[in-house]
Amino acid sequence: MTFNNHQEAEENGHNHTDVKNISSTRLFWVIVLNFGITLAQILGGIISGSLSLISDALHNFTDAISIIISYIAIKLSSKETSLIHTFGLKRAEILAAFINSAVLVGISCYLFVEAVKKFISPTHITGSLMLIVAIIGLAGNLISIFLLESHSKQNINIKSAYLHMLADAITSVAVIAGAIGIIFFKIYWIDPLLTILIGLYVLKESYSILKKSTHILMQGTPTEISIEGIKANIEKLDNVKNVHHIHLWALNEDDIFLEAHVELPDVMLSETCEIKDKIDEIVRKYKIMHTTVQFETDVCCNKNILN
């Protein structure tokens, strides 16, 4: 006998919808800003002969593409369930976060290589033009950060886009510092040094998102939930002899699913409904709103916690 329960707190549902609607609007303007910054940096790099500005422009262009991916993912995740996608497309945001963080890791490695090249062969840069373009880039990055910051703590996909913008802002500050150093002190080595420091920061931040998104995509158990704890609490209920064959996974950051076999003595159907309600009450404390419970009476030979 199997019971399904798919409950969602109504107010939480509205909150998540509001966040996604607001975030998608803000992401759109962040995309526009980044393409504008990219164009300005390419033109500035060509005119000044600054390879670092052109490299940073490519970095911003990559970020704009990654944010487009985030924007599309938010739209896809709001799609209703269907016979083809019974869970909907909610996992699109996790996939976008994975792609974006993986790109950031790649960019970090690229920055390290370019920094070493600049240490070996410093390039001449027109510092004044480099400074002006870097300031324009920083202004655009700061606006983008302001648009995304409030929602970055609530959504891993938005957080990955936010980190892209934060990394760009830090890069712009580094470029400004490098331009000042070049203008007044002719210290060209400061540019690759700052590039390495920026790369290390970006690598650290992106790795945590890459790790978390990979864990969700591989249907790993949410790190904050103990399967043993759930099993122990359910087995404290009257008439529950054993809980086994437990599966616990997250569809995205908000939707956590649990399925399990629950062994009972010979009881009436009405009593199983009461037990199911008590199980739902227990798992809600773990923020699990989607449960599938199979009641049985000494059916499974293997009664391990995992099958």
Side-chain angles (χ1 to χ4, degrees):
M1 184 182 301
T2 304
F3 284 81
N4 295 314
N5 179 49
H6 300 287
Q7 302 180 23
E8 299 201 45
E10 187 174 349
E11 65 274 11
N12 288 342
H14 287 308
N15 287 341
H16 293 313
T17 300
D18 291 342
V19 166
K20 288 179 179 179
N21 287 338
I22 295 172
S23 296
S24 62
T25 301
R26 295 189 176 192
L27 277 175
F28 172 78
W29 288 111
V30 171
I31 292 168
V32 172
L33 275 171
N34 271 267
F35 277 121
I37 294 170
T38 298
L39 180 61
Q41 288 179 323
I42 289 175
L43 292 175
I46 293 173
I47 295 172
S48 67
S50 170
L51 180 61
S52 62
L53 276 179
I54 295 176
S55 298
D56 196 31
L58 294 176
H59 185 188
N60 273 292
F61 179 75
T62 304
D63 287 349
I65 297 299
S66 71
I67 294 170
I68 289 175
I69 294 173
S70 296
Y71 181 82
I72 293 172
I74 286 177
K75 293 299 183 182
L76 289 176
S77 66
S78 64
K79 295 285 186 181
E80 297 293 332
T81 58
S82 67
L83 294 177
I84 299 176
H85 299 102
T86 56
F87 286 106
L89 297 173
K90 294 181 179 180
R91 190 161 275 184
E93 288 191 86
I94 303 301
L95 182 60
F98 172 83
I99 293 171
N100 286 346
S101 55
V103 169
L104 275 172
V105 170
I107 289 173
S108 299
C109 295
Y110 169 77
L111 288 174
F112 294 146
V113 172
E114 290 301 309
V116 171
K117 289 180 181 179
K118 289 181 181 179
F119 269 125
I120 297 173
S121 303
T123 57
H124 175 74
I125 299 173
T126 304
S128 57
L129 183 56
M130 175 182 173
L131 179 63
I132 293 171
V133 176
I135 291 173
I136 294 173
L138 177 61
N141 293 145
L142 290 176
I143 294 172
S144 298
I145 288 172
F146 172 77
L147 291 173
L148 298 179
E149 195 276 336
S150 60
H151 301 304
S152 64
K153 299 174 183 177
Q154 305 170 44
N155 185 289
I156 190 173
N157 183 34
I158 300 300
K159 185 178 181 180
S160 67
Y162 168 76
L163 286 176
H164 273 279
M165 296 301 97
L166 184 60
D168 283 347
I170 296 172
T171 301
S172 295
V173 171
V175 173
I176 290 172
I180 293 173
I182 290 170
I183 292 171
F184 293 102
F185 307 106
K186 306 299 182 184
I187 47 176
Y188 293 96
W189 54 264
I190 193 173
D191 184 47
L193 175 62
L194 291 172
T195 299
I196 290 175
L197 295 177
I198 292 166
L200 289 173
Y201 170 78
V202 172
L203 193 62
K204 174 182 175 295
E205 293 298 317
S206 57
Y207 175 75
S208 62
I209 294 181
L210 185 62
K211 182 179 178 181
K212 183 175 182 179
S213 59
T214 300
H215 186 72
I216 294 175
L217 288 173
M218 296 300 292
Q219 295 185 304
T221 300
T223 55
E224 70 277 9
I225 300 178
S226 167
I227 289 182
E228 291 88 351
I230 293 175
K231 173 181 168 68
N233 284 324
I234 295 177
E235 288 180 346
K236 291 177 182 177
L237 297 174
D238 293 338
N239 291 322
V240 174
K241 295 174 64 177
N242 178 267
V243 182
H244 53 278
H245 294 187
I246 299 175
H247 296 278
L248 180 65
W249 73 98
L251 187 64
N252 53 30
E253 287 188 294
D254 306 317
D255 299 287
I256 302 174
F257 288 74
L258 169 72
E259 62 179 31
H261 291 196
V262 177
E263 184 180 357
L264 306 175
D266 292 328
V267 294
M268 297 178 63
L269 179 62
S270 59
E271 292 180 82
T272 61
C273 293
E274 182 180 346
I275 293 172
K276 179 60 171 60
D277 289 339
K278 291 180 179 179
I279 291 174
D280 290 338
E281 185 176 343
I282 289 172
V283 300
R284 274 198 296 270
K285 295 177 182 178
Y286 295 90
K287 298 182 180 180
I288 300 171
M289 297 298 178
H290 309 268
T291 59
T292 301
V293 176
Q294 178 174 314
F295 290 116
E296 57 191 38
T297 303
D298 197 23
V299 173
C300 295
C301 297
N302 174 6
K303 297 178 183 179
N304 295 327
I305 189 171
L306 304 175
N307 64 347

